[in-house]
Amino acid sequence: MLGMVGHTLVGLVDNIMVGQLGTAELAAVSLGNSFIFIAMSLGIGFSTAITPLIAEENAAKKYEESKSFFKHGVVLCAILGVLLFLLVIGARPLLHSMDQPKEVVVLAIPYLELAAFSLIPLIIFQGFKQFSEGLSLTKAPMYASVLANLINAALNYVLIFGKFGMPSLGINGAAYGTIGARCFMVLFIYVLLKKHKIAKFYMANFKAFNFSALKAKKILNLGMPSAMQMFFEVAIFTAAIWLSGTLGKNPQAANQIALNLGSMTFMIAIGLGVTAMIRVGHQKGLKNYVELRRIAFSIFLLGILLAVGFAVLFLVFKDELPKVYLDANDVTNAIDNKEVIRIASKLLIIAAIFQISDSIQVVVLGALRGLQDVKIPMVLIFIAYWVIGFPISWCLGKADVLGSAGIWIGLLFGLTTAAVLLFLRFNYLSKKLIRAY
C-alpha cells in the first residue's frame, strides 16, 4: 500500500508546492497531468500481468519459468514506456482544442513536454516492482517509493522556487523533480533486488536472456486487458478534469484538489488489490481454491474497513484539507482561493461516499487478476464507467445544472456499478473453481 501511495505522493507534493504559485498554475499541472495519468494507467495496468505469473510459477516451484517471465516483462515495460512517452508528446496539440482556459493551456504545454519523459523510468520501475511483489517481496518497491518522494520534494523546493542559487522554474521545476525522482526509483530497486538473497537469482544474466514469442504473448494477453481496465477508470477521472476545465480555472483547480486526495486513498486500495492478486495467484498455483476464496474475502473486508475510515476523514476535514493546497496569505488570489476551497469541500463529500465502492472494485479487480481473469472484467469496467458513469457526469456536470458536483455524482455511479459487477464476477468464478476441483 505504501509503495502504491508513493506514486500519488509525487503528485501531492507537486500540487501543494505549485498551489503556492496560484490557481492558474495548479490548474495547469492538473491539465498536464491528466495526459500523464492516462499514459501511466496503461503502463501500470500492463505491468500488473507480471505479478500473478511470477506468483503462480513460484508457488509451483518453476523458478526458471518465473525468471523468464520477469525478464520478458521488464523488457516489454521498457518498450511500452518509450511508446507512451511518444504518444503523450504527440497529443500536445489536443490541449488547444479542449475548451480549456487559455492561461492554463499556455502554462500546461511546457510542463507536459517535460513531465512526459518521466513515464519511461516509471514504467520500467513498474516492471521490477510487479516482479518483486510476485515473489511477495513488497518492501523493496516501498523503500524506493518513499525515498523517491523525499528526493522529489527536495528537487521541487529548489527548482520551483529557485533556492540555493538555482533559477526559479515555476511549474516546470516540478516536472524536473518528478523526472529525477523516478530515475532514482529504477536505479534503487535494481540495486536492492540485485543484492537480495532471493531476488538475485532472477536478476542474474539479465543481458543474456533469450526472447520467447510465447512468453511475450502470454504477458501481452494478460497485460493489455489489464491496461485497458485501468485506462477506462483513470480516463473517466481524466474526463472529469476536462469537464471541470470547461467550467473555469477555479472549478478545475478544486477538482484537482479533490481528485488528488481521492487518489491517495485509491492507491492504498490498489495496494490491497495487489495483495489480493499476489495471494490469489499463489493459491491458484497451489490449486487450493477454498483457501483462495477465504483469503480474498478477508482482503475485501479489510478494504471496506479502511474505506470507511477514509470516508469519515473526508467528511470531518472537508473544509480544512483543501486549504493545504493554497497559500492562505495570498492577497492577490484571495477571492479565487476562497471559491476553490468552497467547491473542493463539496466534492470531498461525494468522494467520501464513493470510498467504499472504489475500494471494493479495485480490490476485487486485483483478485480477478490473480485468477488471470482479465477480459470479462475489462468489459464490465467499460460498461460501468463509460456506459453508465460518464453520461451522468456529462449531463449533470454542466454549469447550468450541478456543475462540479454533477461531474462527481457520475463518478459515484460508475464506481458503484463497477464494484457490484466485479464482485459478482469473482463470486461466480471462485465458486466454480471450488465445485470443479
Side-chain angles (χ1 to χ4, degrees):
M1 288 188 288
L2 288 172
M4 290 307 301
V5 168
H7 289 317
T8 308
L9 279 175
V10 171
L12 175 67
V13 172
D14 288 353
N15 285 325
I16 290 175
M17 290 187 170
V18 167
Q20 310 308 304
L21 302 176
T23 57
E25 285 80 0
L26 182 58
V29 170
S30 171
L31 181 58
N33 278 340
S34 67
F35 285 81
I36 303 295
F37 289 154
I38 288 178
M40 190 171 76
S41 71
L42 289 169
I44 292 177
F46 176 83
S47 69
T48 58
I50 300 171
T51 301
L53 291 172
I54 297 294
E56 182 178 4
E57 299 294 348
N58 199 56
K61 301 187 185 305
K62 298 179 180 178
Y63 302 121
E64 287 295 336
E65 286 290 295
S66 183
K67 183 177 182 179
S68 183
F69 275 124
F70 157 58
K71 292 181 176 180
H72 281 79
V74 171
V75 170
L76 289 172
C77 282
I79 294 171
L80 181 59
V82 173
L83 293 176
L84 291 173
F85 162 67
L86 295 175
L87 181 65
V88 171
I89 291 296
R92 288 172 299 171
L94 292 175
L95 288 170
H96 294 288
S97 57
M98 294 171 56
D99 194 25
Q100 303 294 303
K102 290 184 178 179
E103 61 178 316
V104 172
V105 173
V106 170
L107 290 169
I109 289 178
Y111 171 82
L112 179 61
E113 292 172 343
L114 292 169
F117 182 78
S118 71
L119 287 167
I120 299 175
L122 175 64
I123 307 307
I124 294 174
F125 169 77
Q126 277 296 128
F128 285 104
K129 176 181 182 294
Q130 299 299 152
F131 150 71
S132 180
E133 291 174 345
L135 295 178
S136 297
L137 305 176
T138 58
K139 289 183 180 179
M142 179 199 70
Y143 292 144
S145 295
V146 171
L147 290 174
N149 274 283
L150 295 175
I151 291 172
N152 179 62
L155 290 175
N156 276 2
Y157 178 72
V158 173
L159 297 176
I160 292 176
F161 305 110
K163 303 296 183 179
F164 304 110
M166 297 296 291
S168 177
L169 301 178
I171 65 173
N172 292 339
Y176 282 117
T178 300
I179 292 171
R182 287 175 174 168
C183 287
F184 167 81
M185 289 166 70
V186 176
L187 180 61
F188 184 83
I189 197 170
Y190 176 82
V191 172
L192 211 59
L193 293 176
K194 188 84 171 175
K195 295 181 177 180
H196 195 281
K197 61 181 180 180
I198 296 175
K200 66 181 181 181
F201 163 76
Y202 300 90
M203 301 289 290
N205 301 319
F206 192 90
K207 296 180 181 178
F209 90 103
N210 294 318
F211 182 82
S212 166
L214 287 176
K215 284 188 171 57
K217 183 178 179 181
K218 187 165 186 178
I219 294 172
L220 288 169
N221 285 340
L222 285 176
M224 294 313 296
S226 296
M228 295 309 297
Q229 290 168 8
M230 188 166 283
F231 168 76
F232 289 144
E233 178 166 3
V234 171
I236 193 173
F237 281 91
T238 301
I241 294 174
W242 295 345
L243 289 174
S244 296
T246 64
L247 301 175
K249 69 173 185 177
N250 289 341
Q252 189 177 48
N255 180 84
Q256 177 63 9
I257 290 172
L259 181 59
N260 192 237
L261 290 167
S263 296
M264 295 288 292
T265 59
F266 173 68
M267 284 300 180
I268 289 175
I270 284 188
L272 270 182
V274 172
T275 304
M277 181 165 53
I278 295 167
R279 301 289 284 119
V280 167
H282 190 266
Q283 294 303 315
K284 182 175 182 290
L286 297 174
K287 301 185 185 302
N288 191 346
Y289 301 121
V290 173
E291 186 70 359
L292 180 155
R293 182 175 166 88
R294 184 193 68 78
I295 288 171
F297 273 78
S298 298
I299 299 173
F300 298 164
L301 177 59
L302 179 57
I304 292 172
L305 293 174
L306 283 171
V308 170
F310 288 128
V312 172
L313 186 68
F314 280 4
L315 289 173
V316 172
F317 296 104
K318 63 183 176 63
D319 296 321
E320 301 303 321
L321 289 172
K323 295 178 182 177
V324 177
Y325 291 78
L326 301 168
D327 184 0
N329 299 317
D330 186 354
V331 178
T332 305
N333 297 307
I335 297 176
D336 286 338
N337 289 350
K338 187 175 181 180
E339 184 183 6
V340 169
I341 292 170
R342 178 183 61 80
I343 298 172
S345 178
K346 290 182 178 180
L347 297 183
L348 286 178
I349 297 175
I350 302 173
I353 297 171
F354 70 51
Q355 287 300 302
I356 296 175
S357 298
D358 201 12
S359 181
I360 292 174
Q361 64 90 19
V362 76
V363 176
V364 175
L365 186 58
L368 288 169
R369 286 173 178 161
L371 290 175
Q372 298 179 26
D373 178 50
V374 291
K375 292 181 180 178
I376 297 298
M378 177 185 69
V379 175
L380 297 178
I381 287 174
F382 177 80
I383 293 171
Y385 296 140
W386 291 96
V387 177
I388 296 174
F390 181 72
I392 295 174
S393 291
W394 177 269
C395 294
L396 299 182
K398 299 183 185 302
D400 57 350
V401 188
L402 295 178
S404 296
I407 295 172
W408 278 60
I409 288 173
L411 298 179
L412 172 61
F413 273 88
L415 289 166
T416 303
T417 303
V420 172
L421 294 177
L422 292 173
F423 177 78
L424 291 175
R425 174 69 178 170
F426 179 82
N427 191 51
Y428 164 75
L429 284 181
S430 59
K431 285 184 175 180
K432 182 180 178 181
L433 286 169
I434 292 171
R435 287 195 301 268
Y437 188 65

